[in-house]
Amino acid sequence: MPPPACSGEAGGMVSALPSPPSPPLPPAPPVVAPRRRRRVVAILVAVPLALVILLIAAGAIWFGSNSARPTPPAAGEFTFEQPLRIPELAPSKVEDGVRVFELDAGEGRTSFLGGTETPTLGYNGSYLGPTLVAARGEDVRVEVTNRLAESTTVHWHGMHLPAAMDGGPHTPIAAGATWRPQWTIDQPAASLWYHPHLHGRTREQVDAGLAGMFIIQDEEEAALPLPREYGVDDIPVIVQDRSFSADGAFSGSIGMQFDGVLGDTILVNGTVAPYLDVTTEHVRLRLLNGSSARMYDFTFADGREFALIGTDGGLLEEPFASTSVPLSPGERAEIVVALSPGERVALRSQAPDPALHAGGAAFDVLELRAAASLLPSPELPKTLADMPEADESDAAAHRSFEMSGHSINDRQMDLGRSDVVATVDTSEVWSVHNNNPLPHSFHVHDTQFRVLSVDGRKPPARLSGWKDTIALEQDREYRLLVRFEDYADPTTPYMYHCHLLWHEDQGMMGQFLVVEPGQEPDLRRPEGDSDDHHDH
């Protein structure tokens, strides 16, 4: 190896040694930078393109599956064959001034279809439960005994009562145990209902049959000339959809439906293909959407008008003439329909509003069969209830709730987290928005709210009364006036959630505490629960 050339300063002299010949240059490396850049650019383009393709494919699958979702026979293609079962009235006794009911949740077998039996759950029977009736001002106690092999709860949907009596996921009833909630009925006459609210298992238990109606009466409603003879001209109508396997068991799965399990058979009060023999000129139907996912838009096959007289929380201010009333899971409506002697007419569900993304099927639900002669019914009163103007001027807070996927405000259910803390004896404005095409509804425990506006406009008449559950059309803002009266408890929360029960079970639910002014919240996680997020 030749010696290195010397350079530098040495008295201003530079070495006179001749420079060695330069070594040959190495071959030039291949040009790779442009290729690498092209690969990076290709990746940067391919990844978002793949995401777009996946989103388009998911949307196509969703819309395709919804167009092929399980549906009952088309409207007009149905034969009504069985008399409508009327749930019995729950017996009660008065002990020390308290009206006491007893409910046993247990397993059973029910014959819905000829020649088969279906494993079911029910209260005081094999399927569904009795109708509880109590009057405003009464103290009531319900002794609920759990004879199931697993825990359950009983939630009094639409009831104004203390949080510890509400029956949400914070008050599970262990197998073999008895729960004895007691409270004072303090709200207007209304059609409420009861059902399980077990953390992550609500849909399974409701779909198996655990549900029933709870009717509240008051002096004002009792003084009105309305149909009110239970089972004669005042009829509970609990509408559910189910599918059956060949051996009679309930069938169906979530699949790609995204809104929950849908059925191809309609049950009314547990009756398949039902008809109701009508003996009076007017009949009052207390409609309850008892399905876990399906949305209905109730109408009559001949398009006749009926009077909408009440919604979730009680009577409207006056009867509202209508030809249809849409109900999402958990919603109720009371309607009065007039019949002529000898006629038959089918109660039907027409296709829901497309903005709900809840399918496009129309099918029959229940046939009304008028007798050859009918007992006369009085004319409906022009005024039903005093409905004060919804006033938001003194609202203590304004809150927003974004419903998306299976989350509310990008959060899923955590039994140990309080999402809202409200002060007793105050009102708040809650703005609720469904920002994606999944069907959603919004239910608030304890309180009956008023709908202030829908997309800035006055709500339609069917939303003008007291509500606890409301269907959410995509990209519309629903402003609700929510009031927190009477009951404060810094340790036990109430719920708000989507009432499509699979969504609820997936974590689309939040919690709110009601506290006294200046009181600090102290939310207690249920014993044995350790979830810090919901992953069912």
Side-chain angles (χ1 to χ4, degrees), residues 4-184:
C6 294
S7 62
E9 298 180 1
M13 299 294 296
V14 178
S15 171
L17 293 174
S19 298
S22 300
L25 293 173
V31 179
V32 295
R35 292 181 184 174
R36 288 177 182 162
R37 283 197 297 270
R38 284 197 294 272
R39 282 200 295 270
V40 170
V41 170
I43 292 171
L44 290 175
V45 171
V47 169
L49 182 60
L51 290 174
V52 169
I53 292 171
L54 284 173
L55 288 172
I56 292 173
I61 292 171
W62 187 82
F63 283 107
S65 65
N66 272 271
S67 64
R69 54 173 34 194
T71 55
E77 298 181 5
F78 196 68
T79 301
F80 298 94
E81 299 174 340
Q82 300 189 69
L84 177 68
R85 172 182 171 267
I86 305 297
E88 66 181 35
L89 292 173
S92 64
K93 57 188 176 183
V94 177
E95 297 180 351
D96 299 324
V98 178
R99 183 170 299 282
V100 181
F101 300 92
E102 294 182 359
L103 289 179
D104 285 7
E107 299 177 358
R109 300 184 71 85
T110 306
S111 179
F112 297 105
L113 307 171
T116 63
E117 284 192 334
T118 304
T120 53
L121 303 180
Y123 298 107
N124 299 1
S126 67
Y127 189 75
L128 297 181
T131 299
L132 279 63
V133 179
R136 187 172 194 175
E138 281 193 303
D139 291 333
V140 300
R141 182 170 71 248
V142 187
E143 300 187 348
V144 183
T145 299
N146 179 12
R147 304 192 187 281
L148 306 176
E150 64 177 351
S151 294
T152 188
T153 80
V154 180
H155 166 54
W156 317 104
H157 184 125
M159 191 75 72
H160 174 52
L161 76 178
M165 312 300 165
D166 182 57
H170 281 258
T171 50
I173 311 168
T178 298
W179 180 52
R180 297 177 175 85
Q182 181 171 321
W183 70 96
T184 301

Side-chain angles (χ1 to χ4, degrees), residues 483-501:
R483 183 157 185 83
F484 310 97
E485 292 182 328
D486 304 321
Y487 306 115
D489 185 341
T491 65
T492 307
Y494 298 103
M495 308 291 125
Y496 58 85
H497 58 88
C498 179
H499 213 282
L500 276 70
L501 297 184

Side-chain angles (χ1 to χ4, degrees), residues 22-348:
S22 300
L25 293 173
V31 179
V32 295
R35 292 181 184 174
R36 288 177 182 162
R37 283 197 297 270
R38 284 197 294 272
R39 282 200 295 270
V40 170
V41 170
I43 292 171
L44 290 175
V45 171
V47 169
L49 182 60
L51 290 174
V52 169
I53 292 171
L54 284 173
L55 288 172
I56 292 173
I61 292 171
W62 187 82
F63 283 107
S65 65
N66 272 271
S67 64
R69 54 173 34 194
T71 55
E77 298 181 5
F78 196 68
T79 301
F80 298 94
E81 299 174 340
Q82 300 189 69
L84 177 68
R85 172 182 171 267
I86 305 297
E88 66 181 35
L89 292 173
S92 64
K93 57 188 176 183
V94 177
E95 297 180 351
D96 299 324
V98 178
R99 183 170 299 282
V100 181
F101 300 92
E102 294 182 359
L103 289 179
D104 285 7
E107 299 177 358
R109 300 184 71 85
T110 306
S111 179
F112 297 105
L113 307 171
T116 63
E117 284 192 334
T118 304
T120 53
L121 303 180
Y123 298 107
N124 299 1
S126 67
Y127 189 75
L128 297 181
T131 299
L132 279 63
V133 179
R136 187 172 194 175
E138 281 193 303
D139 291 333
V140 300
R141 182 170 71 248
V142 187
E143 300 187 348
V144 183
T145 299
N146 179 12
R147 304 192 187 281
L148 306 176
E150 64 177 351
S151 294
T152 188
T153 80
V154 180
H155 166 54
W156 317 104
H157 184 125
M159 191 75 72
H160 174 52
L161 76 178
M165 312 300 165
D166 182 57
H170 281 258
T171 50
I173 311 168
T178 298
W179 180 52
R180 297 177 175 85
Q182 181 171 321
W183 70 96
T184 301
I185 303 291
D186 187 18
Q187 62 193 101
S191 298
L192 311 183
W193 67 305
Y194 59 95
H195 62 80
H197 209 300
L198 188 65
H199 188 45
R201 299 292 302 279
T202 297
R203 184 201 64 80
E204 292 179 28
Q205 294 192 351
V206 173
D207 276 358
L210 290 177
M213 293 199 79
F214 197 136
I215 295 175
I216 295 178
Q217 300 173 335
D218 66 16
E219 293 180 354
E220 290 77 13
E221 189 272 344
L224 297 172
L226 295 173
R228 68 180 69 262
E229 187 175 353
Y230 183 84
V232 178
D233 61 358
D234 186 351
I235 311 295
V237 180
I238 304 173
V239 184
Q240 303 166 297
D241 61 327
R242 298 288 185 270
S243 294
F244 296 88
S245 59
D247 64 359
F250 287 139
S251 62
S253 62
I254 300 299
M256 290 298 293
Q257 298 299 327
F258 291 114
D259 44 5
V261 175
L262 299 170
D264 57 15
T265 302
I266 295 297
L267 306 180
V268 182
N269 300 346
T271 311
V272 177
Y275 64 85
L276 173 68
D277 288 324
V278 177
T279 58
T280 56
E281 292 177 339
H282 291 169
V283 63
R284 178 184 191 171
L285 303 179
R286 297 178 186 259
L287 301 173
L288 160 62
N289 182 347
S291 292
S292 61
R294 188 177 294 281
M295 297 192 180
Y296 301 91
D297 192 352
F298 293 105
T299 186
F300 285 95
D302 60 1
R304 72 178 58 195
E305 281 192 348
F306 54 81
L308 176 65
I309 64 170
T311 50
D312 298 341
L315 296 175
L316 298 176
E317 190 169 36
E318 59 187 20
F320 170 59
S322 181
T323 58
S324 70
V325 56
L327 297 180
S328 63
E331 282 188 284
R332 289 88 66 209
E334 296 183 29
I335 67 173
V336 175
V337 59
L339 286 95
S340 300
E343 72 172 335
R344 295 186 178 188
V345 62
L347 177 68
R348 175 175 292 176

